[in-house]
Amino acid sequence: MATIVVELRNEPNKQGLYPLALRITINRKPTYRRLGINIGMNDWDYKNRLVKLSHPNANRLNVLITESILKARRRLNSKISKGSDSNIFKTKKKVPKQTFFDFAQEHLRLLEASKKFQRLSVEKAHFGYIKKFSKNEQLFFTDIDEHFLMKLKDYLRIKHNLSETSTLNVLVFIRTMYNRAIKQKIAKRNHYPFGSDKIKIKFPESKKIGLNKWEVLLLEQLKDLTEGEIHARNVWMYSFNLAGIRVSDVLKVRWSDFHDGRLYYRMGKNSKLVSLKTPSKVLDILEYYRATKKHANDFVFPEMKVVNLDDPKDLYTKIKTANKKLNYHLKKIAKKAGIDKPLTMHIARHSFGNIAGDTIHPTKLQKLYRHSSLQTTINYQASFIHTEVDDALDSVINF
């Protein structure tokens, strides 16, 4: 069994360009032949394995790639017909074994090429922690054993003061890379350090603390706020009154998304189309920004008015920066209101769940939360449903 494909190799030159090479796999043993072509990472079409047409020499380079593949295939077929398919493409230098770092960096580049910037930001941080801990230029999959992982957990907790959840997320990143490497025959299953009899990853139950209805009313009625604080409260209240819409979807709302008393928007997380009734409190918030409306398709909130919509990275950066700024103002608002609970944009979602409690049927909450699975809604609400347990406690101690 033999295959020939072209790959962008993980070996940038001094100019930051990456070489293209033929990967010739015979009986599951790959060899590589460089084509003498170096391009930028963003100039490579990973899906079609061709130079993107945006490259000035795309047509010529793609012809060279095609000719190189055909030439290699002719040589391979010729050797096979003569009964010899081993040592067809001898290389002067043995291709080094791919390290965990090489494999993970290739994964991060694919995330960037796919414009998955939120995931890239998170997993890049995980990768950074692992690299700082290792202190070696090379880390092979066989080096990642139970001892390595236990020492890494201690390092993350002590040196970087990471929470248990954040520490486990770094381990999940390693586990994901290991599983993919096994699937691609780069790592071996017998070296796998995770499992019931090895390293188990079990997340602690998360504590969801939302505001109660009196605290939400207190926020609504709070006076003497700065302009930035008023805006942060408006965005938070907009999210809360629409069942905790995520901040990325809140900031991207346009005037044209409202029709006949309803909001229609597509969730950024899964592209699901959602329609919700527009409550009167949301209409009041919209009225606050109506003077800044330039056209029917304009954004309601100011953050996205300056974004380059043709640049997904800029869109991600603007949302991340805006969320940080909103949370900064919300923290100040909570202090002014005398609320000792953490107040962030994400807490709007938890606050809705806290107030909903066990008064709304899970199937209705599922639709409001836009959860794909009812079980997700049930698990989410479990943190807020206390009535039956509280009543049971009172029945025992109130005598």
Side-chain angles (χ1 to χ4, degrees), residues 270-283:
N270 55 19
S271 297
K272 185 186 296 183
L273 186 63
V274 179
S275 173
L276 292 171
K277 175 186 174 182
T278 309
S280 59
K281 290 183 178 181
V282 170
L283 293 176

Side-chain angles (χ1 to χ4, degrees), residues 60-229:
R60 182 177 65 83
L61 295 178
N62 286 332
V63 168
L64 288 174
I65 290 170
T66 303
E67 289 178 347
S68 298
I69 293 173
L70 291 173
K71 185 177 179 181
R73 187 160 287 131
R74 281 197 297 267
R75 289 183 62 192
L76 178 61
N77 291 337
S78 175
K79 290 289 184 179
I80 291 175
S81 65
K82 295 177 181 179
S84 173
D85 60 358
S86 59
N87 300 321
I88 297 175
F89 301 97
K90 291 182 179 178
T91 54
K92 294 181 180 179
K93 187 172 69 173
K94 185 179 180 181
V95 178
K97 185 179 180 182
Q98 191 172 26
T99 68
F100 173 84
F101 289 152
D102 291 336
F103 191 83
Q105 283 176 328
E106 188 174 336
H107 165 74
L108 295 175
R109 282 198 299 274
L110 287 173
L111 287 180
E112 184 172 10
S114 303
K115 298 180 173 54
K116 297 178 180 178
F117 297 112
Q118 183 171 357
R119 186 176 171 188
L120 173 65
S121 176
V122 172
E123 296 193 352
K124 201 170 184 180
H126 295 161
F127 178 76
Y129 285 129
I130 299 164
K131 195 146 193 179
K132 286 177 184 177
F133 170 71
S134 176
K135 296 180 181 179
N136 294 323
E137 288 299 318
Q138 292 185 323
L139 175 67
F140 292 98
F141 282 95
T142 50
D143 297 327
I144 304 175
D145 54 17
E146 294 171 69
H147 177 71
F148 176 92
L149 294 174
M150 293 300 294
K151 296 288 286 185
L152 174 61
K153 285 179 69 176
D154 291 339
Y155 166 81
L156 295 174
R157 285 196 295 255
I158 298 170
K159 183 73 175 179
H160 294 280
N161 198 29
L162 293 192
S163 66
E164 180 70 9
T165 298
S166 297
T167 298
L168 292 177
N169 279 327
V170 177
L171 266 62
V172 167
F173 175 73
I174 295 175
R175 185 178 66 184
T176 301
M177 294 300 99
Y178 218 120
N179 283 327
R180 292 185 180 181
I182 290 171
K183 193 172 182 179
Q184 296 179 32
K185 310 296 183 185
I186 292 170
K188 293 184 178 180
R189 173 61 65 178
N190 61 318
H191 294 143
Y192 190 62
F194 301 96
S196 57
D197 58 338
K198 295 182 180 180
I199 296 294
K200 290 188 288 187
I201 299 177
K202 185 177 181 180
F203 284 91
E205 187 175 351
S206 60
K207 185 166 62 175
K208 301 177 177 68
I209 304 176
L211 304 190
N212 59 43
K213 62 181 179 181
W214 307 116
E215 290 166 330
V216 173
L217 285 171
L218 182 60
L219 285 184
E220 286 182 329
Q221 298 166 6
L222 197 61
K223 306 295 183 182
D224 300 324
L225 298 179
T226 66
E227 186 176 340
E229 290 167 353

Side-chain angles (χ1 to χ4, degrees), residues 27-61:
N27 296 329
R28 296 184 178 181
K29 294 181 181 179
T31 57
Y32 295 85
R33 293 188 64 201
R34 294 200 179 188
L35 300 180
I37 300 173
N38 298 292
I39 61 173
M41 183 181 67
N42 292 330
D43 291 321
W44 182 241
D45 183 341
Y46 287 87
K47 181 179 180 180
N48 297 308
R49 296 183 183 274
L50 291 170
V51 178
K52 290 183 180 178
L53 295 179
S54 55
H55 190 284
N57 297 319
N59 291 332
R60 182 177 65 83
L61 295 178

Side-chain angles (χ1 to χ4, degrees), residues 228-241 245-247 250-251 285 289 301-303 322-323 326 330 345 348:
E229 290 167 353
I230 291 172
H231 173 62
R233 179 177 64 179
N234 283 343
V235 177
W236 193 93
M237 287 295 181
Y238 177 96
S239 171
F240 168 79
N241 284 295
I245 294 180
R246 294 177 177 84
V247 64
V250 170
L251 295 177
I285 293 171
Y289 297 92
F301 299 114
E303 285 82 0
N323 187 45
L326 290 168
L330 288 170
M345 282 304 305

Side-chain angles (χ1 to χ4, degrees), residues 387-399:
T387 306
E388 291 183 1
V389 176
D390 291 348
D391 289 346
L393 177 64
D394 287 340
S395 69
V396 175
I397 65 174
N398 290 337
F399 55 85

